[in-house]
Protein backbone atom coordinates (compact mmCIF):
# COMPACT_ATOMS: atom_id res chain seq x y z
CA UNK A 1 0.00 0.00 0.00
CA UNK A 2 1.57 3.26 -1.10
CA UNK A 3 -0.59 5.85 0.57
CA UNK A 4 -3.48 4.57 2.63
CA UNK A 5 -4.54 8.08 3.59
CA UNK A 6 -4.98 9.09 -0.06
CA UNK A 7 -6.91 5.90 -0.75
CA UNK A 8 -9.28 6.48 2.17
CA UNK A 9 -9.78 10.05 0.99
CA UNK A 10 -10.64 8.94 -2.55
CA UNK A 11 -13.06 6.31 -1.29
CA UNK A 12 -14.76 8.85 1.00
CA UNK A 13 -15.23 11.14 -2.00
CA UNK A 14 -17.04 8.36 -3.88
CA UNK A 15 -19.44 7.91 -0.96
CA UNK A 16 -20.02 11.66 -0.76
CA UNK A 17 -20.67 11.81 -4.49
CA UNK A 18 -23.25 9.02 -4.28
CA UNK A 19 -24.99 10.43 -1.20
CA UNK A 20 -28.61 11.43 -1.76
CA UNK A 21 -29.89 14.19 0.56
CA UNK A 22 -27.95 12.80 3.50
CA UNK A 23 -30.48 9.93 3.61
CA UNK A 24 -29.06 7.10 1.59
CA UNK A 25 -26.30 6.28 -0.86
CA UNK A 26 -26.87 5.04 -4.39
CA UNK A 27 -24.62 2.14 -5.47
CA UNK A 28 -23.46 4.02 -8.57
CA UNK A 29 -24.76 7.26 -10.06
CA UNK A 30 -25.02 6.07 -13.66
CA UNK A 31 -26.37 2.56 -13.43
CA UNK A 32 -28.01 2.34 -10.03
CA UNK A 33 -29.96 5.47 -9.08
CA UNK A 34 -32.02 3.96 -6.20
CA UNK A 35 -31.32 2.49 -2.75
CA UNK A 36 -30.35 -1.20 -2.71
CA UNK A 37 -30.56 -3.45 0.35
CA UNK A 38 -27.22 -5.20 0.67
CA UNK A 39 -25.40 -2.29 -0.96
CA UNK A 40 -26.58 0.05 1.79
CA UNK A 41 -25.49 -2.45 4.45
CA UNK A 42 -21.96 -2.59 3.03
CA UNK A 43 -22.00 1.18 2.60
CA UNK A 44 -22.97 1.67 6.25
CA UNK A 45 -20.06 -0.59 7.30
CA UNK A 46 -17.69 1.88 5.61
CA UNK A 47 -19.58 5.04 6.55
CA UNK A 48 -19.37 4.21 10.27
CA UNK A 49 -15.69 5.18 10.16
CA UNK A 50 -16.48 8.58 8.65
CA UNK A 51 -19.72 9.56 10.37
CA UNK A 52 -21.50 7.01 12.54
CA UNK A 53 -24.75 9.00 12.63
CA UNK A 54 -24.84 9.01 8.84
CA UNK A 55 -24.24 5.25 8.86
CA UNK A 56 -27.26 4.83 11.15
CA UNK A 57 -29.33 6.97 8.79
CA UNK A 58 -28.35 4.70 5.88
CA UNK A 59 -29.91 1.78 7.77
CA UNK A 60 -32.99 3.72 8.92
CA UNK A 61 -33.56 4.72 5.28
CA UNK A 62 -33.56 1.04 4.37
CA UNK A 63 -36.20 0.37 7.01
CA UNK A 64 -38.53 2.83 5.24
CA UNK A 65 -39.01 0.11 2.68
CA UNK A 66 -39.81 -2.80 4.99
CA UNK A 67 -43.12 -4.50 4.22
CA UNK A 68 -45.67 -5.12 6.96
CA UNK A 69 -45.03 -8.89 6.73
CA UNK A 70 -41.34 -8.24 7.55
CA UNK A 71 -39.92 -8.51 4.01
CA UNK A 72 -37.02 -6.17 3.23
CA UNK A 73 -37.11 -5.30 -0.49
CA UNK A 74 -33.91 -5.26 -2.53
CA UNK A 75 -34.69 -1.83 -4.00
CA UNK A 76 -36.38 1.31 -2.68
CA UNK A 77 -37.04 3.55 -5.65
CA UNK A 78 -36.10 7.17 -6.00
CA UNK A 79 -39.42 9.04 -6.13
CA UNK A 80 -38.35 11.48 -8.84
CA UNK A 81 -40.75 11.50 -11.80
CA UNK A 82 -37.82 10.61 -14.02
CA UNK A 83 -37.90 7.05 -12.58
CA UNK A 84 -41.61 6.31 -13.04
CA UNK A 85 -40.79 3.47 -15.45
CA UNK A 86 -38.64 1.68 -12.86
CA UNK A 87 -41.34 2.01 -10.19
CA UNK A 88 -43.98 0.90 -12.62
CA UNK A 89 -42.02 -2.20 -13.57
CA UNK A 90 -42.43 -3.45 -10.00
CA UNK A 91 -45.72 -1.86 -8.80
CA UNK A 92 -45.16 -2.84 -5.20
CA UNK A 93 -48.53 -1.25 -4.41
CA UNK A 94 -50.14 -4.43 -5.79
CA UNK A 95 -49.23 -6.20 -2.55
CA UNK A 96 -51.25 -5.43 0.59
CA UNK A 97 -48.00 -5.67 2.58
CA UNK A 98 -46.05 -2.96 0.76
CA UNK A 99 -45.38 0.38 2.49
CA UNK A 100 -47.49 3.44 1.66
CA UNK A 101 -44.86 6.12 1.35
CA UNK A 102 -42.25 4.52 -0.88
CA UNK A 103 -42.33 2.28 -3.92
CA UNK A 104 -40.12 -0.78 -3.68
CA UNK A 105 -39.30 -3.98 -5.53
CA UNK A 106 -41.17 -7.14 -4.52
CA UNK A 107 -38.20 -9.40 -3.78
CA UNK A 108 -35.42 -9.33 -1.21
CA UNK A 109 -31.60 -9.58 -1.14
CA UNK A 110 -28.97 -11.20 1.12
CA UNK A 111 -29.69 -10.32 4.77
CA UNK A 112 -26.59 -8.26 5.59
CA UNK A 113 -28.66 -5.99 7.81
CA UNK A 114 -27.72 -7.54 11.16
CA UNK A 115 -24.03 -7.34 10.26
CA UNK A 116 -24.32 -3.63 9.44
CA UNK A 117 -26.21 -2.99 12.69
CA UNK A 118 -23.51 -4.72 14.76
CA UNK A 119 -20.66 -2.98 12.94
CA UNK A 120 -22.25 0.39 13.60
CA UNK A 121 -22.76 -0.71 17.21
CA UNK A 122 -19.01 -1.30 17.53
CA UNK A 123 -18.40 2.41 16.97
CA UNK A 124 -20.77 3.48 19.75
CA UNK A 125 -20.42 3.80 23.53
CA UNK A 126 -22.32 1.18 25.54
CA UNK A 127 -25.41 3.31 26.27
CA UNK A 128 -25.71 4.60 22.72
CA UNK A 129 -25.17 1.10 21.41
CA UNK A 130 -28.06 -0.22 23.48
CA UNK A 131 -30.29 2.60 22.21
CA UNK A 132 -29.28 1.80 18.65
CA UNK A 133 -29.94 -1.90 19.07
CA UNK A 134 -33.33 -1.21 20.69
CA UNK A 135 -34.35 1.00 17.81
CA UNK A 136 -33.66 -1.64 15.14
CA UNK A 137 -34.29 -4.99 16.83
CA UNK A 138 -38.06 -5.25 16.10
CA UNK A 139 -37.54 -4.67 12.35
CA UNK A 140 -34.59 -7.01 12.21
CA UNK A 141 -36.40 -9.77 14.05
CA UNK A 142 -39.45 -9.36 11.81
CA UNK A 143 -37.20 -9.72 8.76
CA UNK A 144 -35.61 -12.93 10.00
CA UNK A 145 -38.99 -14.33 11.03
CA UNK A 146 -40.38 -13.51 7.60
CA UNK A 147 -37.47 -15.35 5.99
CA UNK A 148 -38.26 -18.47 7.98
CA UNK A 149 -42.03 -18.28 7.75
CA UNK A 150 -42.22 -17.32 4.12
CA UNK A 151 -39.11 -18.83 2.58
CA UNK A 152 -38.67 -22.11 4.43
CA UNK A 153 -42.08 -23.65 3.72
CA UNK A 154 -40.96 -27.22 4.47
CA UNK A 155 -39.26 -26.25 7.70
CA UNK A 156 -35.87 -27.53 6.56
CA UNK A 157 -33.65 -24.77 7.93
CA UNK A 158 -32.69 -23.53 4.45
CA UNK A 159 -34.40 -20.50 2.95
CA UNK A 160 -35.21 -20.40 -0.76
CA UNK A 161 -34.87 -17.61 -3.31
CA UNK A 162 -37.24 -16.94 -6.16
CA UNK A 163 -35.10 -14.79 -8.44
CA UNK A 164 -31.31 -14.48 -9.03
CA UNK A 165 -31.59 -10.81 -8.10
CA UNK A 166 -32.40 -11.98 -4.57
CA UNK A 167 -28.96 -13.54 -4.33
CA UNK A 168 -27.25 -10.37 -5.55
CA UNK A 169 -24.87 -12.42 -7.72
CA UNK A 170 -27.23 -12.02 -10.62
CA UNK A 171 -25.75 -14.21 -13.37
CA UNK A 172 -23.87 -16.73 -11.25
CA UNK A 173 -23.50 -20.02 -13.23
CA UNK A 174 -25.67 -22.27 -11.06
CA UNK A 175 -28.67 -20.01 -11.53
CA UNK A 176 -28.02 -19.37 -15.21
CA UNK A 177 -27.65 -23.07 -16.06
CA UNK A 178 -30.92 -23.71 -14.26
CA UNK A 179 -32.53 -20.88 -16.19
CA UNK A 180 -31.46 -22.30 -19.54
CA UNK A 181 -32.66 -25.78 -18.60
CA UNK A 182 -36.06 -24.88 -17.20
CA UNK A 183 -37.21 -21.41 -17.68
CA UNK A 184 -36.58 -19.80 -21.06
CA UNK A 185 -40.05 -18.73 -22.24
CA UNK A 186 -41.16 -19.41 -25.84
CA UNK A 187 -40.94 -15.77 -26.93
CA UNK A 188 -37.29 -15.58 -25.87
CA UNK A 189 -36.45 -18.85 -27.65
CA UNK A 190 -38.08 -17.31 -30.73
CA UNK A 191 -35.89 -14.20 -30.49
CA UNK A 192 -32.80 -16.40 -30.25
CA UNK A 193 -33.80 -18.59 -33.17
CA UNK A 194 -34.56 -15.64 -35.41
CA UNK A 195 -31.39 -13.78 -34.36
CA UNK A 196 -33.47 -10.82 -33.19
CA UNK A 197 -31.71 -10.66 -29.84
CA UNK A 198 -29.12 -8.26 -31.27
CA UNK A 199 -31.82 -5.63 -31.74
CA UNK A 200 -32.62 -5.75 -28.04
CA UNK A 201 -29.04 -4.74 -27.27
CA UNK A 202 -29.74 -1.31 -28.77
CA UNK A 203 -32.31 -0.67 -26.06
CA UNK A 204 -30.25 -1.84 -23.08
CA UNK A 205 -29.83 0.97 -20.61
CA UNK A 206 -26.64 -0.49 -19.12
CA UNK A 207 -25.01 -0.45 -22.58
CA UNK A 208 -24.91 3.36 -22.36
CA UNK A 209 -22.32 3.33 -19.58
CA UNK A 210 -20.68 -0.13 -19.59
CA UNK A 211 -19.50 -2.33 -22.51
CA UNK A 212 -21.96 -5.17 -22.99
CA UNK A 213 -19.33 -7.91 -22.74
CA UNK A 214 -18.92 -6.90 -19.08
CA UNK A 215 -22.62 -7.29 -18.39
CA UNK A 216 -25.35 -9.88 -18.53
CA UNK A 217 -26.01 -11.90 -21.63
CA UNK A 218 -29.10 -10.39 -23.34
CA UNK A 219 -31.06 -13.64 -23.44
CA UNK A 220 -30.52 -14.11 -19.74
CA UNK A 221 -31.51 -10.57 -18.82
CA UNK A 222 -34.72 -10.90 -20.85
CA UNK A 223 -35.49 -14.13 -19.02
CA UNK A 224 -34.95 -12.42 -15.67
CA UNK A 225 -37.35 -9.61 -16.56
CA UNK A 226 -39.83 -12.26 -17.61
CA UNK A 227 -39.63 -13.97 -14.22
CA UNK A 228 -40.00 -10.62 -12.52
CA UNK A 229 -43.15 -9.92 -14.54
CA UNK A 230 -44.58 -13.25 -13.44
CA UNK A 231 -43.87 -12.48 -9.79
CA UNK A 232 -45.60 -9.14 -10.19
CA UNK A 233 -48.64 -10.83 -11.71
CA UNK A 234 -48.95 -12.84 -8.50
CA UNK A 235 -48.60 -9.63 -6.48
CA UNK A 236 -45.48 -11.10 -4.86
CA UNK A 237 -47.62 -13.55 -2.91
CA UNK A 238 -45.38 -16.51 -2.06
CA UNK A 239 -48.17 -19.05 -1.72
CA UNK A 240 -49.14 -18.39 -5.34
CA UNK A 241 -45.54 -18.19 -6.53
CA UNK A 242 -44.42 -21.47 -4.98
CA UNK A 243 -47.31 -23.41 -6.52
CA UNK A 244 -46.40 -22.56 -10.06
CA UNK A 245 -42.74 -21.57 -10.18
CA UNK A 246 -40.03 -23.94 -11.31
CA UNK A 247 -37.37 -21.53 -10.26
CA UNK A 248 -36.84 -22.04 -6.55
CA UNK A 249 -33.30 -22.41 -5.26
CA UNK A 250 -31.78 -22.69 -1.79
CA UNK A 251 -28.74 -20.63 -2.54
CA UNK A 252 -25.50 -21.35 -0.70
CA UNK A 253 -24.40 -17.70 -0.58
CA UNK A 254 -27.76 -16.52 0.70
CA UNK A 255 -28.03 -19.19 3.37
CA UNK A 256 -24.46 -18.64 4.56
CA UNK A 257 -25.11 -14.93 4.98
CA UNK A 258 -28.39 -15.66 6.75
CA UNK A 259 -26.66 -17.94 9.26
CA UNK A 260 -24.10 -15.25 10.03
CA UNK A 261 -26.93 -12.71 10.37
CA UNK A 262 -28.72 -14.99 12.82
CA UNK A 263 -25.63 -15.02 15.03
CA UNK A 264 -25.53 -11.22 14.89
CA UNK A 265 -29.25 -10.96 15.66
CA UNK A 266 -28.79 -13.11 18.75
CA UNK A 267 -25.89 -10.90 19.83
CA UNK A 268 -28.02 -7.76 19.45
CA UNK A 269 -30.92 -9.23 21.43
CA UNK A 270 -28.63 -10.47 24.20
CA UNK A 271 -26.93 -7.10 24.49
CA UNK A 272 -30.26 -5.49 25.40
CA UNK A 273 -31.67 -8.44 27.34
CA UNK A 274 -34.55 -9.06 24.99
CA UNK A 275 -35.22 -12.80 24.70
CA UNK A 276 -35.85 -14.05 21.17
CA UNK A 277 -38.70 -16.58 20.88
CA UNK A 278 -37.62 -20.22 21.29
CA UNK A 279 -39.28 -21.06 17.97
CA UNK A 280 -36.91 -18.65 16.21
CA UNK A 281 -33.85 -19.84 18.13
CA UNK A 282 -34.67 -23.46 17.23
CA UNK A 283 -34.89 -22.62 13.56
CA UNK A 284 -31.59 -20.78 13.70
CA UNK A 285 -29.95 -23.87 15.14
CA UNK A 286 -31.58 -26.05 12.51
CA UNK A 287 -30.13 -23.82 9.76
CA UNK A 288 -26.60 -24.33 10.98
CA UNK A 289 -27.04 -28.09 10.70
CA UNK A 290 -28.89 -27.84 7.39
CA UNK A 291 -25.93 -26.14 5.73
CA UNK A 292 -24.29 -29.60 5.71
CA UNK A 293 -26.88 -30.70 3.16
CA UNK A 294 -25.22 -28.35 0.68
CA UNK A 295 -21.78 -29.97 1.01
CA UNK A 296 -20.66 -32.30 -1.77
CA UNK A 297 -18.01 -34.76 -0.52
CA UNK A 298 -17.07 -35.78 -4.07
CA UNK A 299 -15.76 -32.35 -5.04
CA UNK A 300 -15.24 -31.02 -1.49
CA UNK A 301 -17.33 -27.95 -2.21
CA UNK A 302 -20.61 -26.35 -1.17
CA UNK A 303 -23.32 -25.79 -3.77
CA UNK A 304 -26.81 -24.33 -4.02
CA UNK A 305 -29.71 -26.78 -4.14
CA UNK A 306 -32.85 -27.12 -6.21
CA UNK A 307 -35.69 -26.68 -3.73
CA UNK A 308 -37.96 -29.08 -5.59
CA UNK A 309 -35.71 -32.00 -6.55
CA UNK A 310 -33.24 -31.45 -3.68
CA UNK A 311 -30.42 -31.96 -6.18
CA UNK A 312 -27.25 -29.95 -5.70
CA UNK A 313 -26.59 -27.57 -8.58
CA UNK A 314 -22.97 -28.48 -9.12
CA UNK A 315 -21.62 -25.35 -10.75
CA UNK A 316 -18.76 -23.93 -8.76
CA UNK A 317 -18.77 -20.24 -7.82
CA UNK A 318 -17.15 -18.16 -5.12
CA UNK A 319 -20.30 -18.77 -3.08
CA UNK A 320 -18.73 -22.10 -2.11
CA UNK A 321 -16.39 -20.11 0.16
CA UNK A 322 -19.11 -18.23 2.01
CA UNK A 323 -19.72 -20.93 4.64
CA UNK A 324 -16.45 -19.56 6.07
CA UNK A 325 -18.39 -16.36 6.66
CA UNK A 326 -21.40 -18.28 8.03
CA UNK A 327 -19.08 -19.49 10.77
CA UNK A 328 -20.93 -22.73 11.57
CA UNK A 329 -18.78 -25.22 9.62
CA UNK A 330 -16.06 -27.41 11.15
CA UNK A 331 -12.40 -26.44 11.11
CA UNK A 332 -11.75 -29.37 8.72
CA UNK A 333 -14.28 -28.07 6.20
CA UNK A 334 -12.82 -24.59 6.57
CA UNK A 335 -9.41 -26.04 5.70
CA UNK A 336 -10.87 -27.65 2.57
CA UNK A 337 -12.19 -24.26 1.49
CA UNK A 338 -8.87 -22.57 2.14
CA UNK A 339 -7.25 -25.07 -0.26
CA UNK A 340 -9.53 -23.70 -2.98
CA UNK A 341 -8.29 -20.18 -2.26
CA UNK A 342 -4.68 -21.33 -2.47
CA UNK A 343 -5.21 -23.08 -5.80
CA UNK A 344 -4.55 -20.78 -8.78
CA UNK A 345 -6.78 -22.95 -11.00
CA UNK A 346 -9.66 -22.33 -8.62
CA UNK A 347 -9.96 -19.18 -6.48
CA UNK A 348 -6.33 -18.06 -6.33
CA UNK A 349 -5.41 -16.06 -9.47
CA UNK A 350 -3.34 -12.85 -9.27
CA UNK A 351 -6.24 -10.72 -7.95
CA UNK A 352 -8.56 -13.00 -6.00
CA UNK A 353 -11.32 -13.91 -5.37
CA UNK A 354 -12.73 -14.58 -8.84
CA UNK A 355 -16.52 -14.95 -8.73
CA UNK A 356 -16.16 -18.22 -10.66
CA UNK A 357 -13.17 -20.61 -10.45
CA UNK A 358 -10.68 -19.86 -13.22
CA UNK A 359 -10.85 -23.48 -14.44
CA UNK A 360 -14.66 -23.50 -14.74
CA UNK A 361 -16.14 -23.68 -18.24
CA UNK A 362 -18.19 -20.62 -17.27
CA UNK A 363 -15.19 -18.51 -16.26
CA UNK A 364 -15.00 -15.20 -18.07
CA UNK A 365 -12.71 -12.63 -16.39
CA UNK A 366 -14.83 -9.69 -17.58
CA UNK A 367 -18.42 -10.75 -17.27
CA UNK A 368 -20.13 -9.56 -14.11
CA UNK A 369 -20.61 -12.50 -11.66
CA UNK A 370 -19.01 -15.07 -13.97
CA UNK A 371 -15.36 -14.38 -13.20
CA UNK A 372 -14.57 -10.84 -11.95
CA UNK A 373 -13.48 -10.11 -8.38
CA UNK A 374 -15.96 -8.23 -6.18
CA UNK A 375 -15.03 -6.35 -3.03
CA UNK A 376 -18.04 -7.42 -0.97
CA UNK A 377 -17.28 -11.11 -1.42
CA UNK A 378 -13.65 -10.53 -0.47
CA UNK A 379 -14.77 -8.65 2.61
CA UNK A 380 -17.00 -11.50 3.80
CA UNK A 381 -14.39 -14.17 3.11
CA UNK A 382 -11.70 -12.13 4.90
CA UNK A 383 -13.99 -11.89 7.92
CA UNK A 384 -14.61 -15.65 7.86
CA UNK A 385 -10.93 -16.50 7.43
CA UNK A 386 -10.09 -14.46 10.52
CA UNK A 387 -12.74 -16.15 12.61
CA UNK A 388 -11.31 -19.56 11.62
CA UNK A 389 -7.80 -18.44 12.51
CA UNK A 390 -6.41 -18.11 8.96
CA UNK A 391 -4.92 -14.73 9.73
CA UNK A 392 -2.18 -14.83 7.10
CA UNK A 393 -4.67 -15.68 4.37
CA UNK A 394 -6.97 -12.92 5.59
CA UNK A 395 -4.16 -10.36 5.59
CA UNK A 396 -2.95 -11.39 2.13
CA UNK A 397 -6.46 -11.10 0.72
CA UNK A 398 -6.93 -7.72 2.42
CA UNK A 399 -3.69 -6.42 0.88
CA UNK A 400 -4.60 -7.65 -2.60
CA UNK A 401 -8.10 -6.18 -2.34
CA UNK A 402 -6.70 -2.78 -1.37
CA UNK A 403 -4.08 -3.04 -4.10
CA UNK A 404 -6.88 -3.49 -6.61
CA UNK A 405 -8.60 -0.31 -5.49
CA UNK A 406 -5.35 1.59 -5.42
CA UNK A 407 -4.50 0.43 -8.93
CA UNK A 408 -7.93 0.57 -10.55
CA UNK A 409 -10.11 2.87 -8.43
CA UNK A 410 -13.49 2.10 -6.89
CA UNK A 411 -14.70 0.01 -9.81
CA UNK A 412 -17.82 -2.11 -9.54
CA UNK A 413 -15.73 -5.26 -10.14
CA UNK A 414 -12.23 -6.19 -11.34
CA UNK A 415 -10.54 -8.56 -13.78
CA UNK A 416 -9.06 -11.25 -11.49
CA UNK A 417 -6.12 -11.87 -13.84
CA UNK A 418 -5.05 -8.32 -14.74
CA UNK A 419 -6.72 -6.28 -12.00
CA UNK A 420 -8.29 -3.95 -14.61
CA UNK A 421 -11.44 -2.05 -13.54
CA UNK A 422 -14.76 -3.33 -14.91
CA UNK A 423 -18.42 -2.33 -14.76
CA UNK A 424 -19.43 1.10 -13.62
CA UNK A 425 -16.97 3.41 -11.84
CA UNK A 426 -17.23 5.14 -8.46
CA UNK A 427 -19.08 2.18 -7.01
CA UNK A 428 -20.17 2.71 -3.43
CA UNK A 429 -19.60 -0.68 -1.79
CA UNK A 430 -16.10 -0.93 -3.24
CA UNK A 431 -15.33 2.45 -1.66
CA UNK A 432 -17.01 1.69 1.66
CA UNK A 433 -15.40 -1.71 2.14
CA UNK A 434 -11.98 -0.37 1.14
CA UNK A 435 -12.37 2.14 3.97
CA UNK A 436 -13.30 -0.66 6.36
CA UNK A 437 -10.40 -2.90 5.26
CA UNK A 438 -7.98 0.02 5.67
CA UNK A 439 -9.07 0.26 9.29
CA UNK A 440 -8.28 -3.44 9.79
CA UNK A 441 -4.77 -3.01 8.42
CA UNK A 442 -4.18 -0.33 11.06
CA UNK A 443 -5.06 -2.68 13.93
C1 LIG B 1 -26.24 -5.55 -9.39
C2 LIG B 1 -25.54 -6.52 -8.44
C3 LIG B 1 -26.26 -6.55 -7.12
C4 LIG B 1 -26.29 -5.13 -6.56
C5 LIG B 1 -26.93 -4.15 -7.56
C6 LIG B 1 -26.76 -2.70 -7.13
O1 LIG B 1 -27.52 -5.96 -9.68
O2 LIG B 1 -25.50 -7.80 -9.01
O3 LIG B 1 -25.64 -7.41 -6.22
O4 LIG B 1 -26.98 -5.08 -5.36
O5 LIG B 1 -26.29 -4.28 -8.81
O6 LIG B 1 -25.41 -2.41 -6.95
Amino acid sequence: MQDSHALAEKAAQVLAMNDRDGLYTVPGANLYPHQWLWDSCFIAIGLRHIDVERAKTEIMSLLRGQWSNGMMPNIIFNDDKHYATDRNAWRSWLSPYSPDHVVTSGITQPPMLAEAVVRIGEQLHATERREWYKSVLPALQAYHEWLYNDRDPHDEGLVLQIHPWEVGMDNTPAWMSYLHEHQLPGWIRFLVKTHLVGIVNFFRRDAKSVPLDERFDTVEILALFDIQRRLRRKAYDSSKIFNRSLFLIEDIAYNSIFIRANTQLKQIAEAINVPLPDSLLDRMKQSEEALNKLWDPETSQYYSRDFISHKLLKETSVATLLPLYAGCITQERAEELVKLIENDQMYGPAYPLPSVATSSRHFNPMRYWQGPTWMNINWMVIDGLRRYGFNDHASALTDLSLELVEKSGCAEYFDPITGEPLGTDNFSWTAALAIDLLHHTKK
Side-chain angles (χ1 to χ4, degrees), residues 224-293:
L224 297 203
F225 280 117
D226 189 71
I227 302 168
Q228 186 237 319
R229 198 170 44 87
R230 282 191 257 170
L231 298 175
R232 187 184 69 211
R233 262 203 245 130
K234 293 177 185 128
Y236 311 109
D237 176 338
S238 309
S239 57
K240 290 187 191 139
I241 292 166
F242 296 172
N243 280 343
R244 299 290 299 276
S245 173
L246 292 172
F247 206 43
L248 303 174
I249 294 180
E250 293 153 332
D251 185 86
I252 178 64
Y254 199 103
N255 279 279
S256 298
I257 293 170
F258 187 36
I259 288 170
R260 177 68 185 147
N262 280 336
T263 309
Q264 312 272 39
L265 172 55
K266 281 189 274 186
Q267 187 183 324
I268 293 166
E270 268 162 31
I272 52 175
N273 290 322
V274 175
L276 292 174
D278 285 343
S279 54
L280 180 59
L281 293 170
D282 288 347
R283 295 191 85 169
M284 290 177 172
K285 203 153 160 250
Q286 189 196 11
S287 294
E288 297 191 0
E289 283 154 23
L291 204 68
N292 286 319
K293 297 181 195 160

Side-chain angles (χ1 to χ4, degrees), residues 27-28 32 36-39 74 109 165 167-170 215 368-369 374 376 412 427 429:
Y32 309 108
W36 262 262
L37 175 54
W38 77 332
D39 294 70
N74 77 327
Q109 237 184 358
W165 288 333
V167 178
M169 300 165 70
D170 307 9
R215 305 297 293 175
Y368 218 30
W369 291 97
W374 289 75
N376 63 334
E412 189 179 3
F427 192 65
W429 85 38

Side-chain angles (χ1 to χ4, degrees), residues 38 109-110 163-176 216 224 251-254 257 304 316-322 347 354-356 368-370 372 374 376-377 380 429:
W38 77 332
Q109 237 184 358
H163 197 295
W165 288 333
E166 290 203 313
V167 178
M169 300 165 70
D170 307 9
N171 64 344
T172 191
W175 284 78
M176 290 306 103
F216 245 105
L224 297 203
D251 185 86
I252 178 64
Y254 199 103
I257 293 170
S304 299
T316 187
S317 82
V318 74
T320 195
L321 303 177
L322 287 178
Y347 293 96
S355 39
V356 170
Y368 218 30
W369 291 97
Q370 292 182 352
W374 289 75
N376 63 334
I377 302 291
M380 288 187 277
W429 85 38

Side-chain angles (χ1 to χ4, degrees), residues 38-296:
W38 77 332
D39 294 70
S40 275
C41 294
F42 292 123
I43 290 162
I45 289 169
L47 273 177
R48 72 189 169 130
H49 300 291
I50 301 174
D51 176 351
V52 73
E53 288 305 316
R54 178 63 188 76
K56 285 185 187 170
T57 305
E58 189 78 21
I59 298 303
M60 297 318 278
S61 297
L62 273 180
L63 297 185
R64 293 175 303 161
Q66 186 166 35
W67 288 23
S68 61
N69 59 359
M71 203 271 281
M72 290 290 300
N74 77 327
I75 310 173
I76 301 174
F77 292 103
N78 184 323
D79 60 9
D80 191 287
K81 64 177 185 315
H82 192 67
Y83 300 112
T85 321
D86 294 1
R87 292 191 294 272
N88 210 35
W90 283 95
R91 284 173 238 164
S92 54
W93 54 82
L94 294 174
S95 167
Y97 301 118
S98 65
D100 293 335
H101 304 295
V102 285
V103 178
T104 74
S105 70
I107 59 173
T108 188
Q109 237 184 358
M112 289 301 302
L113 196 57
E115 176 79 84
V117 167
V118 168
R119 297 289 172 153
I120 292 172
E122 285 172 2
Q123 304 298 112
L124 302 169
H125 294 298
T127 325
E128 283 173 328
R129 183 182 316 130
R130 276 196 294 274
E131 284 308 309
W132 166 238
Y133 284 174
K134 270 189 212 152
S135 67
V136 287
L137 179 65
L140 201 52
Q141 184 180 333
Y143 181 38
H144 285 230
E145 283 175 336
W146 173 80
L147 278 167
Y148 277 123
N149 296 335
D150 200 89
R151 295 307 186 83
D152 182 15
H154 297 167
D155 207 358
E156 292 179 289
L158 296 171
V159 290
L160 63 87
Q161 289 70 53
I162 57 179
H163 197 295
W165 288 333
E166 290 203 313
V167 178
M169 300 165 70
D170 307 9
N171 64 344
T172 191
W175 284 78
M176 290 306 103
S177 301
Y178 198 87
L179 180 80
H180 286 283
E181 272 169 44
H182 298 271
Q183 200 87 17
L184 276 190
W187 65 271
I188 296 183
R189 284 200 298 267
F190 173 79
L191 284 181
V192 177
K193 235 198 221 150
T194 50
H195 305 290
L196 290 172
V197 164
I199 295 176
V200 180
N201 287 341
F202 286 113
F203 298 100
R204 283 184 60 168
R205 203 201 293 178
D206 53 354
K208 296 200 179 88
S209 49
V210 179
L212 275 185
D213 55 3
E214 294 175 23
R215 305 297 293 175
F216 245 105
D217 175 84
T218 297
V219 170
E220 290 167 0
I221 195 89
L222 286 175
L224 297 203
F225 280 117
D226 189 71
I227 302 168
Q228 186 237 319
R229 198 170 44 87
R230 282 191 257 170
L231 298 175
R232 187 184 69 211
R233 262 203 245 130
K234 293 177 185 128
Y236 311 109
D237 176 338
S238 309
S239 57
K240 290 187 191 139
I241 292 166
F242 296 172
N243 280 343
R244 299 290 299 276
S245 173
L246 292 172
F247 206 43
L248 303 174
I249 294 180
E250 293 153 332
D251 185 86
I252 178 64
Y254 199 103
N255 279 279
S256 298
I257 293 170
F258 187 36
I259 288 170
R260 177 68 185 147
N262 280 336
T263 309
Q264 312 272 39
L265 172 55
K266 281 189 274 186
Q267 187 183 324
I268 293 166
E270 268 162 31
I272 52 175
N273 290 322
V274 175
L276 292 174
D278 285 343
S279 54
L280 180 59
L281 293 170
D282 288 347
R283 295 191 85 169
M284 290 177 172
K285 203 153 160 250
Q286 189 196 11
S287 294
E288 297 191 0
E289 283 154 23
L291 204 68
N292 286 319
K293 297 181 195 160
L294 305 184
W295 173 255
D296 174 45

